[in-house]
Amino acid sequence: MRLLPSRFRRSATLGRRSAVTSMLLAFAVVVVLVTIFILTALDRMADYANRLDDERSRETTSGAIQTFQEQLHATLNDYAAWDDAAQFVYAGDNAWIVGNYGDMTANSDLFDVALIMDTNRNVLMAYQDGAPVTWSPQNFFDSSIWTLFDKASSAGAGTVPEAVGFVETKNGVAAVGVALIRQKSGELAQPVEGRRFLIFGRHLDEKKILKLGETYVIGGLRFAGAGDTAPNMVEIRNIHGKALQRLVWNSRMPGNAAYLQVRPLVYCALAMVGLFFLLLFASGSNTLNRLKADEAAARHLAMSDRLSGLLNRAGFFAALDALVLQSRRSNEDVALLYLDLDGFKEVNDAYGHGTGDKLIRGVAAGLKTLVGETAILARVGGDEFAIALAATDIGRAVETLSDHILGFFGEPFVIGERVATIGTCIGVAISPRGKVSGEELVRRSDMAMYHAKETGRGRTEYYRPEMDAEREERNMLEIDLRIAIERREVDVVYQPVVDARTWRIIGVEALARWHRTGYGPVSPEVFIPIAESTGLIDQLGLFVLHRACETLALWPELKLAVNISPGQFRDPAFAVHVASVFRKTGADPSRITLEMTEGYFIQNPERARAALAKLKQLGVKIALDDFGAGFSSVGYLRQFGFDRMKIDKSLVHALEEGGRAIDLLQATVALARSLEIPVTAEGVETEAQAIQLRLTGCDELQGFMFGKPMSSQEIDIIYRGNRLPGGMSGTA
Ligand code: C2E
Ligand code: CA
Ligand code: CA
């Protein structure tokens, strides 16, 4: 045996867990993405700030270089456009020239090279760092010096005869300027061939670069080395555009600095956002879990029966389907035991619903212990229970379990101060390796249970395929019966009822007969239950009553008994229908007895009493039929005011056994008579029985001895011939 597939519970938890994991994962991805976005944005901002700063450094550096060159230009202009110079240079005053130009190259920040040349580029004086030099300009300067020279010397009227630019020298890079020596006013009396030019050079060495860096606040400003690949630099070009040197500096990277400053804050903010989301998620999943728990509780409630605490019908079907599915994999057989209680309704009606509820709880608890933890147990109807179990040796398991259950119901139930005896019938259906679906199992076990009921109480019946055929046959029967009733093909026969002393016919009992077309006669024991369970009995019963009342006109001295099923009683208009039959047929109600079994009186005492009262108002008599066959109690006779009691043939036939049976019969009849209720005995087959019954106190007899149920014509012959029924002669 096996419990409800645990796999289902596990997969549910797994599903929930994986949902939580994927949510966490998505959440983590979002956080990572947001982090990346923010850091990238910050990085870009930093980069932009860096580039902006470098751009500014580049401009400052270019400016510094420009200024360096302009300073030289200004100095050159001072020294060349100078009235003294125009006088002394052109006068050839060498002492003046050396004193004012050559010597000035020593320790000067303004220029460190000074030359005087004539128009034909002949060097008249050349000084560097305070001393005359031996180098020739061609060797010392690059060729751009001559471009500057030409520019300065070829300047026409209106333009300044000066030219400045960077030039590469033997010592490095220098700002170099060439200017015509002239009066401050620009005037010059010299012819072109006699002109003198002043050339200044101002070297840009590392010391000066360092100073520039300090002055302009450009950190690490320097000449680029061979391996220097700094992205930011400024080139120093000569007038030909040739790059002479490159200046680089240390980027300050203000963006990076800012970035470093804000990064911890950003991380902090991100962490807080993450934390917030985590909390949100945690509380969300908490709510989710609670919702799920609520949902599970609701589902559990919807699946369980409140009274017994067991699964209800819906819960059982779900669990059964799961069990069948699982047994397919585990190669086990599934059995379904369907239980229907006998006598529960009686307890409920007799003792009230409180007691009925207690009984159901008691049964549920008892079954639970018998069935154990591993099988599925459910209450699937008012007094119906179902048990499903899976096992490899299912036959043995079912046999043991059903034996135990029947044994359990064999004992009376004690409910408070009351004791109730109830029974059960068990229908069993088996699904070998889960091949039969849960739904089909229910259908089969239900059918088996009905068979068990039909064949007696306290039985276990296994489903057989023939049951389907029987059910099918029953369905066909029902269809045919319906047609027969509609076409009035059902006949009514009459069985004589005789005076117990004279054995003369005093009445008849109307009995229904059905000759099924193509099949032959069908016993009322078969078609009456079908008519009862399908509701056809209303039509059928009234038809028999109608036909019998019509026929009764033939026998003015006879009484008529007609059978009424409990089902007809449930129709609230039943008494109205009966009255209408009497009216239409003109039958005298006082000659008519309606026979009923006690079933309905037990089930619905109040309504039965009311219905009986209405009928009795019509003037008909009521007989309690089949007394002694069921739970008959003399108490009913008095309680409901029956006019007659009919002793069942089983009781009559038991007379042969003598002893106890005779005592019982005598006691029963005596009791009825003491209540002044006359008694009819039915099923009388022998003279001995007839005599015994008369002696006991029965005033009317009925049975094959006096006549089988027969056609109205046959009754007619007996009636008209005034002969004794059953071929008897004389008086008893
Ligand atoms: P019941 O009302 O107890 O009817 C008496 C039954 O006992 C009849 O069976 C009758 O044929 C049988 N019987 C009579 N004398 C003897 C005898 O000496 N020995 C034996 N062994 N049996 C005897 P039947 O006609 O087969 O009817 C069976 C049952 O069907 C009836 O039992 C009654 O409950 C029901 N039934 C028949 N006709 C109607 C009807 O029109 N309406 C209703 N509601 N039920 C009917
Ligand atoms: Ca009867
Ligand atoms: Ca009877």
Side-chain angles (χ1 to χ4, degrees), residues 565-621:
S565 282
Q568 292 173 265
F569 238 65
R570 293 198 185 99
D571 177 3
F574 178 60
V576 179
H577 293 316
V578 172
S580 130
V581 170
F582 291 160
R583 214 176 36 249
K584 281 182 192 157
T585 56
D588 173 8
S590 66
R591 288 167 62 198
I592 296 162
T593 305
L594 301 180
E595 298 186 357
M596 308 172 191
T597 51
E598 84 274 285
Y600 188 67
F601 301 98
I602 299 171
Q603 281 172 29
N604 257 313
E606 289 318 310
R607 286 178 61 179
R609 208 189 306 277
L612 271 189
K614 272 195 226 167
L615 285 173
K616 290 188 87 173
Q617 268 180 358
L618 299 177
V620 289
K621 294 188 174 62

Side-chain angles (χ1 to χ4, degrees), residues 345-363:
K345 282 194 184 72
E346 285 79 347
V347 171
N348 222 6
D349 290 338
Y351 299 146
H353 290 296
T355 308
D357 287 355
K358 278 184 196 147
L359 180 62
I360 288 294
R361 268 192 227 115
V363 169

Side-chain angles (χ1 to χ4, degrees), residues 276-546:
F276 170 73
F277 273 109
L278 255 175
L279 283 175
L280 201 73
F281 174 77
S283 81
S285 73
N286 226 346
T287 317
L288 208 73
N289 280 343
R290 222 184 24 249
L291 276 179
K292 272 185 179 141
D294 287 353
E295 187 198 310
R299 190 165 340 124
H300 178 76
L301 215 65
M303 291 288 189
S304 61
D305 168 52
R306 281 228 266 166
L307 178 57
S308 64
L310 303 177
L311 287 175
N312 63 13
R313 205 175 173 79
F316 179 72
F317 281 8
L320 177 65
D321 282 344
L323 186 67
V324 167
L325 263 179
Q326 176 169 294
S327 70
R328 282 184 203 158
R329 273 185 296 274
S330 60
N331 266 338
E332 284 177 313
D333 301 333
V334 176
L336 173 50
L337 282 72
Y338 211 101
L339 278 71
D340 185 283
L341 304 189
D342 295 320
F344 170 71
K345 282 194 184 72
E346 285 79 347
V347 171
N348 222 6
D349 290 338
Y351 299 146
H353 290 296
T355 308
D357 287 355
K358 278 184 196 147
L359 180 62
I360 288 294
R361 268 192 227 115
V363 169
L367 286 177
K368 206 162 185 173
T369 15
L370 286 179
V371 161
E373 282 296 312
T374 50
I376 301 165
L377 171 64
R379 178 174 173 232
V380 291
D383 61 349
E384 289 170 28
F385 292 85
I387 301 161
L389 48 109
T392 32
D393 191 2
I394 197 74
R396 172 82 59 78
V398 170
E399 214 179 295
T400 320
L401 183 59
S402 59
D403 281 353
H404 285 162
I405 292 172
L406 291 181
F408 168 67
F409 281 100
E411 302 290 323
F413 283 85
V414 181
I415 311 153
E417 283 133 46
R418 303 184 193 282
V419 177
T421 309
I422 52 165
T424 188
C425 281
I426 308 174
V428 182
I430 287 169
S431 175
R433 307 194 166 180
K435 279 185 195 126
V436 179
S437 74
E439 199 184 343
E440 175 66 6
L441 266 183
V442 171
R443 192 189 71 80
R444 290 184 179 182
S445 57
D446 186 54
M447 184 135 44
M449 195 270 293
Y450 270 98
H451 266 260
K453 277 235 138 144
E454 269 171 22
T455 35
R457 296 180 153 211
R459 292 189 64 257
T460 302
E461 185 87 57
Y462 286 74
Y463 166 83
R464 282 170 282 110
E466 302 92 85
M467 289 178 182
D468 284 328
E470 284 167 29
R471 173 65 62 92
E472 183 56 23
E473 170 58 19
R474 206 182 136 95
N475 289 346
M476 298 288 289
L477 257 171
E478 184 195 323
I479 293 167
D480 285 357
L481 178 63
R482 189 180 295 273
I483 294 169
I485 292 171
E486 271 165 19
R487 294 186 186 160
R488 316 216 158 234
E489 285 168 4
V490 175
D491 283 325
V492 179
V493 293
Y494 304 88
Q495 183 172 32
V497 177
V498 303
D499 184 295
R501 282 182 296 114
T502 63
W503 292 0
R504 279 178 188 274
I505 185 165
I506 52 165
V508 290
E509 179 181 358
L511 293 159
R513 290 290 178 268
W514 178 31
H515 188 98
R516 188 181 176 200
T517 323
Y519 290 89
V522 181
S523 165
E525 313 268 16
V526 173
F527 73 80
I528 292 294
I530 293 177
E532 283 174 341
S533 65
T534 55
L536 285 171
I537 194 69
D538 291 333
Q539 255 182 292
L540 177 61
L542 283 177
F543 166 73
V544 172
L545 180 69
H546 196 279

Side-chain angles (χ1 to χ4, degrees), residues 509 563 595 625 646:
E509 179 181 358
N563 293 288
E595 298 186 357
D625 204 355
K646 281 189 94 168

